């Protein structure tokens, strides 16, 4: 039995089923509160220096920050995250999907302390969900602009290119968040990628 299986056997009962749905609903609530002027988004973003000063809730609330305020874009982003996150949960089970999100958040928070004054976003955590889904379902098709069918594996290549560009041109705050997202992906798929690379070399 693998370490992950042992961990699931011990802690699996604590997993949150339908985690993607709860995260989306939380973001919808925050979106509406911001829209109505009831909430200042600056109070829920994670800023390491402020967390160290006692504002510990930011460790959790930054996950509830909407990806945008444009209703069209944010609605599409929520749908994509829920659909892909739900597919990962169906494939892995609730515990492993919970662990994937938790590791992404933990890596993002941990690395952010290297730049304690810079706020961090949850966008790269959502991006790691997209990359994981694309790795497991490369031939799944999305309608680009609601018209053009595109396989998700090609969109994933674009996402990897954007991550690479972000790492090269962004400041250290952006680079650290890219590293967290990629690190989360590699923790789950690194062994598969190595095996695929070895098999490809042998086939040649």
């Amino acid at each position: 039995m693998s370490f992950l299986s042992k961990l699931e056997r011990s802690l699996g009962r604590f997993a949150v089923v339908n985690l993607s749905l709860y995260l989306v609903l939380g973001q919808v609530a925050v979106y509406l509160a911001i829209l109505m002027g009831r909430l200042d988004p600056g109070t829920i973003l994670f800023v390491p220096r402020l967390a160290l000063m006692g504002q510990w809730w930011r460790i959790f609330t930054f996950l509830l920050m909407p990806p945008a305020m444009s209703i069209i874009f944010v609605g599409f982003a929520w749908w994509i995250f829920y659909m892909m996150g739900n597919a990962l949960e169906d494939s892995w089970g609730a515990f492993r999907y919970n662990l994937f999100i938790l590791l992404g958040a933990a890596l993002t928070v941990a690395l952010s302390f290297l730049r304690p004054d810079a706020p961090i976003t949850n966008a790269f955590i959502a991006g790691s969900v997209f990359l994981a889904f694309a790795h497991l379902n490369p031939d799944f098709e999305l309608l680009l602009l609601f018209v053009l069918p595109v396989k998700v594996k090609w969109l994933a290549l674009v996402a990897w290119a954007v991550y690479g560009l972000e790492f090269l041109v962004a400041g250290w705050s952006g680079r650290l968040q890219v590293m967290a997202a990629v690190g989360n992906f590699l923790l789950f798929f690194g062994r598969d990628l190595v095996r695929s690379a070895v098999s490809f070399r042998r086939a040649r």
Side-chain angles (χ1 to χ4, degrees):
M1 185 180 295
S2 68
F3 172 75
L4 191 56
S5 296
K6 292 179 180 177
L7 200 63
E8 183 174 8
R9 187 173 182 180
S10 300
L11 303 175
R13 63 184 180 278
F14 299 112
V16 178
V17 179
N18 291 324
L19 178 60
S20 296
L21 177 62
Y22 293 126
L23 288 174
V24 168
L25 290 177
Q27 291 188 12
V28 170
V30 168
Y31 177 87
L32 293 175
I34 294 173
L35 208 60
M36 293 185 294
R38 301 290 183 86
L39 179 66
D40 177 2
T43 62
I44 66 172
L45 289 174
F46 183 75
V47 182
R49 178 177 58 81
L50 296 178
L52 290 173
M53 293 172 61
Q55 299 180 21
W56 53 267
W57 63 84
R58 294 173 180 268
I59 296 175
F60 308 101
T61 56
F62 88 97
L63 292 172
L64 302 180
M65 186 66 191
M69 290 306 292
S70 165
I71 187 61
I72 296 177
F73 177 83
V74 78
F76 181 72
W78 283 332
W79 174 73
I80 288 291
F81 177 77
Y82 171 73
M83 183 268 292
M84 294 188 173
N86 201 45
L88 290 178
E89 185 173 316
D90 287 342
S91 175
W92 286 340
F95 175 78
R96 297 192 184 205
Y97 179 61
N98 279 214
L99 186 61
F100 184 79
I101 296 294
L102 181 61
L103 283 174
L107 284 172
T108 300
V109 168
L111 289 176
S112 72
F113 281 95
L114 297 175
R115 300 286 293 179
D117 292 317
I120 64 171
T121 174
N122 57 40
F124 291 98
I125 299 173
S128 69
V129 170
F130 170 76
L131 293 176
F133 176 85
H135 181 76
L136 294 174
N137 306 277
D139 294 321
F140 182 86
E141 288 188 344
L142 286 174
L143 290 179
L144 197 62
L145 301 177
F146 302 102
V147 176
L148 181 65
V150 179
K151 289 186 177 181
V152 74
K153 63 183 176 183
W154 305 124
L155 297 177
L157 287 177
V158 173
W160 280 112
V162 170
Y163 275 19
L165 183 63
E166 180 84 9
F167 187 84
L168 291 174
V169 304
W172 272 106
S173 177
R175 290 173 183 166
L176 292 171
Q177 291 183 68
V178 170
M179 289 168 61
V182 172
N184 189 32
F185 178 87
L186 291 178
L187 282 172
F188 267 70
F189 297 107
R191 182 179 295 180
D192 291 343
L193 294 175
V194 170
R195 287 175 177 171
S196 297
V198 171
S199 298
F200 178 76
R201 290 188 61 183
R202 288 176 177 173
R204 293 182 62 185

